[in-house]
Amino acid sequence: MLGYDKDSEKLDKVYRVFYIVLVFFIIKIINIQIVNHSYYLELSEKNRIRTVAKLGPRGNIISSDGEVLAKNKISYSVMYFPREKMDEEYIKNLSKQISKISSTEYNAVLKSIEKIQKGLKPAKIVDGLSVKTAMYLYEVKNVFPEIEIMEENIRYYPMNNMLSHIIGYTAKMDENDWKYYSAKGYSFDALVGKTGVEKKYEEYLKGKNGGLFMEVDNRGRLVRIMGFEKWEKGNDVKLTIDYSVQKAAEEALNKLPYKRGAAVCLDSNTGKVLAYAVKPGYDLNYFSSYREDKKNENIDEFNIPISGLYPPASTFKIITTIAAVESGKIKEDTKFYCPGFYDAGNRVFKCWEKKGHKEQNLIDALANSCDVYYYNVGYIIGPYEIENVARKFRLNEKTGIDLPYEKPGKIFGPKSRMDSKGYWFVGDTLNMAIGQGETLVTPIGMAMVMMALSNGGIFYKPYYVDSIIKSDGKVLLKNEKEFAGRIELKEETYNIIKKAMRRVVTDGTGKICDIKGIDVYGKTGTAQNPHGKDHAWFVAFAEKEGKNPIAVSVLVEHGEHGSSAAAPVARDIIKAYYKTNSDKNESVNEKMIIE
Amino acid sequence: MITVDKKRKVDMWLILAVTVLVSIGTVSIFSSIMMLDFKERIIRTHILAVAIGVAAMIFMWILDYQVLEEYSEKIYVFSLFLLLLVLFIGVVDKGSRSWFRLPFFSVQPSEIARISLIIFLASYFSKNKNVLKDFYGIIKVFLMILPFFILMMKQPDFSGILITFFPLAVMFIVAGVNMSYLYMFLFYIFVVLIIPMVGVVVNLYPSYLNNPVIEFLYEISYFNINMLLFGVGLGVFLFLLWKIIHKLNPVVEYSYFILIYAIIVSGYFSGVFVKNQIKDYQYKRIESFINPGSDPKGAGYNIIQARVALGSGGVKGKGLFSGTQSRLGFVPERHTDFIFSVVGEEMGIFGVFLLFWAYAVIINRIKKIAILSRTSFGYFLSAGFAGLFMGYFFVNIGMILGFFPVAGVPLAFVSYGGTNMVASFIIIGILQSIYTRRLLIA
């Protein structure tokens, strides 16, 4: 050629470098386009496809008579999208606007925004807003584009703190929930049931999400709609609760000046829970909204009907009466004289009526709740008989209702004393006979006693979920009564105890519960409380042609007198169930026999 | 190995490869701009550019390239004049005053000036074959090309300066530059880069400051007393070092140490100077290069999206006009600097290999043309052009593949860019001219 061999050597060297670089490029391109292809493909899809999820609404929780106890409500919230380098004045103005329109405290809003600015991740600053407020805020958005108005489905409990323990509440997931629910395809900010029915039936209640799939460009603008999936409403859970009865129970409890109490009403033929009222209860809506400082508030979550243990007091005289008749040693017309006290030898036991009831038979004694009569009875029949009957009535067992933290009662009789290596004194028998001492029962335990007395001796497991209904009306699940046990008593016993408990209501301490047209059988009780005022009891069952009999159990903490505190609640419950408005004793100002 | 081609008048391989590239480019450009408002203007300009380019190519081919040798100085001076002119009457785009606005399109004098520089150097080297063998020769050449760089700096056209290194490097090597000078230059560049790089690294990973070396370098990277201390300290250190080594081996000249000292100190000063000059966005580009995740919505965005586009294409690609990353605008600058990612997304690895092949063919044919060239001027010209195309290939595709930080360099024949397209065609025309005249007697 031209004799440039030496120079073309150099050119060769340069070209060698080029080819080496080319090889590196080829390796890298294979790595990107083949080895990691699926990864990049996924990313490119994520870029261009947006899903607007339309959350399927959660199913409702309703009462047996169709009242909605938990439902969904559309509420609006404001989200703040931080940008780098935000002017302080600007943020202050924005906070002022938002706080004014949404009636939220200015400092709270300002602090939220500042916190978000620090973290530089968009987050909610206010929620629970109405449509109107949202509309006003849209205008604010024109001036301050960093906010976004979001539509949310929140869970709303129109009855606030009614049936709090049974219904339960929903809230955002925490770590433990997430472990369980993420596998089921929940999105991380979904609401899940935390307690009660909301949690137990989460699977049924949850709606199915649908969505719109859109292709967007790099500015997020819609290019075309790719697909649409319809959302579905979740299933409704129908409770056994009768709203009119529940409402009556709640209102009656609220009317009382006492802070804590509970009332339970069961259908004696099925075990259905018709009413389950707990005062104070807690507002389920409290948990739905977004709060920073939830931990500071005091919420009384104690489930009185199943976890509260109280001395049964005079209501236990029912047990003693039954034990007495069953033993054969006491008859309806067995008489004892009550001078106002009873001499037990080493100690004198008093009757609540200092003047004494004079001479009574068994019926009178229960009607008047005479302690002395029952001291006599107890002494004659002995503690074993009484303990036996108490056990037969399952007072030391859990009812098995599907709620957590149920406690069984404690029957403190000679058997238990023996187990704890103690001694049994006569005085213990006397106390036991009138329901004082260390015996403890739950309100629902007493309700079970009433149930058995009203249906011929059968125990049904209490349940509160009637059925699960799909949004199209189809019934997915229906609960039936569940047999839990039986007590065998003489017919004579039933007659006598019913007669006696009827007398309590018509003439005795339970007069306030006497309702025209309905046969109400009841018993008052005043539980001695060494730490404060006495607790008030009233237990009853009611019968009327045409409807199942019901069992009622009311306890008012520190209510002092069963007749004045607890009995009125029972009355309202029974009236509501039978839907009558007339009292036999029209005037409330009747002279009441204070026990 | 030297082969003699048959009596062909035109290098068909070159034409074929260029056609392939322009076709790939056109299709990709059109696909990527589909959603843009001003797509008609781009289509119009692109077709116009290709048409003008082809015309210019034919013109340059018909023209005897040796004419360029004759007028090389005048051409170079004229291009320097254009570079100066654009500083006064040019328009600014993306931060640099690099464009002449004409009725239908804009022209970038940098592109023309670069070709002129190559022509000028090719001519000079062919006349002074050993000029680069000694130090003073190098200085002489350096001074001759300095105006070019200064004027480019003034716009500023950093990517233009960057791309010019490639043809220069190849031409210097082929012109027989003393490699030790080259290595010294590289060493100097290395020292220059240390200071700003330390700044970048410390910004990204502050924990590195715990390393005493990094901390030391960071401390001296400011115009303050530390600088003076460092300069003096280094001098003393090297002096002592020389003393010790001299004792052991008296052959070692002190001049070496003076040289090393000079390079380090000048590199150091330049480095600190550069560090102060570099703009924020350029820092961000380097940071994103080291760690694309560090600024995913900002400087890293381009690279990440381009990579996603490439990777999502897979083997077969998403199909012409169907690239979602490109069509929907997720890859910015997709019709210019990032056109390669469009090719990868829509035509898959098949398209990529086709593109690689076409480039390899072009660069290969240029080597053939260089060797076959009858004159040394033609040889140097070809070498320079080979270097230029290698540069485009290396920087543009290297940037998308992650070997290089984002540099704003187009991909010749494929990217959208009027001046670049015409300039590239002109180069092909010159090459064809060299090729055709390889057998003619002067």
Side-chain angles (χ1 to χ4, degrees), chain A residues 259-312:
Chain A
K259 290 211 185 81
R260 285 167 60 113
V264 179
C265 175
L266 306 174
D267 181 324
S268 299
N269 284 357
T270 59
K272 284 189 183 175
V273 177
L274 299 171
Y276 193 97
V278 179
K279 182 176 179 182
Y282 48 95
D283 187 357
L284 297 168
N285 291 307
Y286 177 77
F287 299 92
S288 296
S289 60
Y290 175 73
R291 257 167 226 258
E292 279 285 342
D293 51 355
K294 260 194 212 147
K295 299 174 192 127
N296 297 332
E297 305 249 359
N298 292 324
I299 296 181
D300 185 354
E301 288 188 62
F302 191 70
N303 197 340
I304 296 177
I306 58 173
S307 310
L309 291 166
Y310 308 90

Side-chain angles (χ1 to χ4, degrees), chain A residues 354-367:
Chain A
K354 294 195 184 73
K355 290 187 255 161
H357 292 101
K358 310 293 184 273
E359 189 174 81
Q360 299 160 102
N361 64 10
L362 186 55
I363 312 291
D364 301 325
L366 193 69

Side-chain angles (χ1 to χ4, degrees), chain A residues 456-501:
Chain A
I458 304 177
F459 294 99
Y460 294 105
K461 183 167 149 186
Y463 65 100
Y464 52 87
V465 173
D466 175 78
S467 50
I468 297 182
I469 304 171
K470 203 164 155 200
S471 48
D472 62 5
K474 188 168 130 196
V475 175
L476 293 176
L477 193 143
K478 180 130 177 76
N479 279 329
E480 301 292 343
K481 65 187 182 194
E482 198 179 315
F483 177 79
R486 164 171 240 124
I487 185 170
E488 295 285 356
L489 297 172
K490 293 190 260 187
E491 198 180 324
E492 183 196 351
T493 310
Y494 280 111
N495 291 336
I496 292 176
I497 190 63
K498 278 174 94 164
K499 197 164 165 184
M501 285 176 77

